[in-house]
Amino acid sequence: MTAQVGKRLRSDARDNRDRILLVARLAFAADGLDVPIREVARRAGVGVATVYRHFQTKEALLEEAFAEQMASCSVLVEEGLAADDPWSGFRLVIERLMEAHALDRGFARAFTSRLSQAPDFAADRDRALRMLHELVRRAKATGSLRADFVLEDVCLALMANEGIRAETPGMRVAASRRFAALMIQSFQAAPVSAPLPPAVRLPLSFEAFAS
């Protein structure tokens, strides 16, 4: 094999790997984690064996596909922790987390699933959770966050938020913002009635309520 041919093969392999990752991110974001490897391979225009050549398991593909988002999540929580007012920082984190998750169904599931046991993914997730735990402690200390709030309540909110169905990504984000506002009011120690973000038309069947 000539050096030129070897270089081209390595370049082709890198291109395949990058394309698989891009397709996987889009597929998992749109359809969740249940998208099979064979479907990722089909959309990427490669064979299943090629996918497994680059990623030995589906978990390895998921971990790398969401590595950037998980790192961004840590940065987001860090910004909330740096806020002068803990309650404002907490609100910022909830709002931005839910908005990001509304656009990426796969990441929402990955954040709350067994994938979090993957070493690198788990390290970023644990860092984010430690900072969020500290932010929660500070917000409770100010009397703004209800005393019985636990971190699992964030997971519950994210799981519910992930289930939003809307006609367009923009509508999904808008619905998520309204849902986040409702959640934040429920988390507040002494809820203050405040205007919610505009409502969004969602696919409801009113026939179900007619009987």
Side-chain angles (χ1 to χ4, degrees):
M1 180 187 300
T2 67
Q4 185 175 1
V5 171
K7 183 177 181 180
R8 187 180 71 249
L9 290 175
R10 289 193 296 273
S11 177
D12 289 345
R14 285 195 299 270
D15 289 345
N16 283 341
R17 189 178 190 280
D18 291 344
R19 187 164 62 255
I20 291 166
L21 270 177
L22 176 60
V23 166
R25 289 189 188 104
L26 294 174
F28 296 141
D31 303 320
L33 303 189
D34 295 331
V35 177
I37 288 292
R38 64 178 179 277
E39 178 61 17
V40 172
R42 186 190 69 79
R43 297 184 192 184
V46 301
V48 172
T50 300
V51 176
Y52 281 117
R53 190 176 303 123
H54 292 285
F55 306 95
Q56 293 185 354
T57 64
K58 184 177 181 179
E59 287 70 26
L61 175 59
L62 286 165
E63 180 184 356
E64 188 149 355
F66 293 116
E68 183 177 343
Q69 289 95 324
M70 192 65 254
S72 296
C73 178
S74 293
V75 171
L76 188 160
V77 179
E78 188 173 10
E79 290 175 357
L81 190 60
D84 293 334
D85 174 40
W87 174 246
S88 295
F90 176 82
R91 288 181 55 187
L92 173 70
V93 169
I94 297 300
E95 290 168 353
R96 292 181 60 185
L97 269 181
M98 293 178 73
E99 181 174 334
H101 288 184
L103 291 173
D104 196 331
R105 294 175 58 199
F107 179 54
R109 292 183 184 179
F111 188 81
T112 57
S113 75
R114 292 293 297 176
L115 174 62
S116 62
Q117 300 306 309
D120 292 340
F121 193 95
D124 273 330
R125 180 177 182 270
D126 289 348
R127 177 173 178 270
L129 288 176
R130 285 194 299 271
M131 290 189 295
L132 183 56
H133 185 272
E134 174 60 17
L135 180 57
V136 165
R137 186 193 66 77
R138 294 181 186 180
K140 285 183 178 181
T142 67
S144 299
L145 181 61
R146 55 189 302 159
D148 57 355
F149 177 89
V150 293
L151 285 183
E152 285 78 5
D153 293 327
V154 176
C155 289
L156 285 174
L158 291 177
M159 288 176 179
N161 186 67
E162 188 271 333
I164 292 175
R165 298 292 182 270
E167 294 180 359
T168 67
M171 292 176 67
R172 193 158 61 246
V173 168
S176 176
R177 287 173 180 160
R178 184 175 175 90
F179 182 58
L182 288 167
M183 287 292 92
I184 289 169
Q185 286 190 22
S186 73
F187 294 155
Q188 198 166 10
V192 177
S193 180
L196 295 172
V200 178
R201 184 178 295 278
L202 297 176
L204 295 175
S205 174
F206 288 98
E207 296 176 358
F209 303 96
S211 59

